[in-house]
Amino acid sequence: MRAGTQLPPLEIEITRTLIVAGAIASRDYQDVHHDAELARQKGSPDIFMNILTTNGLVGRYVTDHFGPAAVLRRVAIRLGAPNHPGDTMVLTGTVEEVDGDTATVRVVGANGIGRHVTGTVTVTVPNGDAG
């Protein structure tokens, strides 16, 4: 692990199923995550992904890179442009800091209308084996 290391990008197709399944799995039953008509009535062009699904995808992106021994210590994200069905989110990451077996990774997830998610992930990798 070295500061400045860039993680390979990960493309995630944003499907209606992904959005609805993520909302159900995280027990987020807000209508804007599963009912397109009600989402439109509230000003959105369609349903959109919830923050808990995004949080899980960001965590997966980092642990996929650092391997099965990686432990997420902190995930701090902020949402921006919504993820709607039919779009693709591309996650990118850069190792900002390394302290022993712990790294801080800056993550950005962009879609067709802008940055969906930005933030940092702190991950511990026993023996610094990955990256």
Side-chain angles (χ1 to χ4, degrees):
M1 294 189 301
R2 290 192 187 116
T5 299
Q6 294 191 350
L7 281 62
L10 174 65
E11 290 188 12
I12 299 171
E13 289 184 43
I14 307 303
T15 64
R16 195 166 297 281
T17 300
L18 175 62
I19 293 169
V20 173
I24 290 169
S26 59
R27 295 183 179 192
D28 183 347
Y29 305 117
Q30 292 288 322
D31 52 23
V32 295
H33 302 309
H34 64 84
D35 188 316
E37 183 55 38
L38 289 175
R40 282 190 279 280
Q41 288 176 16
K42 294 181 178 181
S44 178
D46 204 338
I47 63 172
F48 54 91
M49 185 175 284
N50 72 350
I51 192 169
L52 295 171
T53 303
T54 299
N55 194 67
L57 292 171
V58 167
R60 169 191 150 201
Y61 174 59
V62 171
T63 58
D64 279 359
H65 176 74
F66 287 101
V71 177
L72 298 176
R73 299 295 180 186
R74 181 173 186 266
V75 178
I77 61 171
R78 168 173 256 148
L79 292 184
N83 269 338
H84 294 290
D87 208 341
T88 299
M89 177 175 65
V90 180
L91 289 167
T92 57
T94 304
V95 176
E96 287 192 326
E97 189 178 325
V98 176
D99 182 11
D101 62 356
T102 301
T104 301
V105 181
R106 163 92 26 215
V107 176
V108 174
N111 61 32
I113 57 176
R115 286 185 171 184
H116 169 69
V117 62
T118 56
T120 58
V121 177
T122 303
V123 60
T124 300
V125 183
N127 303 321
D129 290 335

